[in-house]
Amino acid sequence: MTAASSPGYSESGPIRDTHTAPRISSETKPSFRTSEFFAYVASVVAVLIASWAVGNGANGVDRFPADRAWLYVTLLTIGYVISRGLAKSGSREDTDTMRR
């Protein structure tokens, strides 16, 4: 004896869609389209301009030397890389769809 099937169900269970469309959008934006990128670039430019503009004081001592400016740029870069890593860590996008 066979049981009658309900609409939407085959005799072996619910009908399953085996084809799923690939996800086109990602959870995070490309880095150059984020506000943190523009803040990073503005900060780097500001540090370098400040180091150049301050220059030597009246007594000939450089109050903001280039080595300190580049240290600040390095620290800004580390912060930016960490923030992008945190933003991307929650992304579940497949690497195959990122190549498209």
Side-chain angles (χ1 to χ4, degrees):
M1 171 173 356
T2 62
S5 60
S6 301
Y9 288 85
S10 67
E11 291 187 18
S12 62
I15 298 173
R16 298 171 193 242
D17 184 17
T18 57
H19 174 71
T20 57
R23 188 173 62 184
I24 294 175
S25 66
S26 68
E27 293 180 16
T28 57
K29 296 182 208 176
S31 62
F32 60 88
R33 294 184 64 198
T34 61
S35 59
E36 61 201 15
F37 175 74
F38 292 112
Y40 165 72
V41 169
S43 299
V44 167
V45 169
V47 166
L48 295 177
I49 288 175
S51 177
W52 173 75
V54 168
N56 293 332
N59 57 0
V61 177
D62 191 1
R63 295 178 301 195
F64 191 19
D67 60 339
R68 188 178 313 155
W70 283 108
L71 172 68
Y72 292 154
V73 169
T74 301
L75 295 175
L76 286 168
T77 303
I78 291 169
Y80 176 72
V81 169
I82 289 172
S83 73
R84 285 307 298 162
L86 290 173
K88 289 294 211 178
S89 68
S91 177
R92 288 179 248 132
E93 185 169 4
D94 189 17
T95 56
D96 201 25
T97 57
M98 289 180 72
R99 291 187 210 131
R100 293 183 190 171

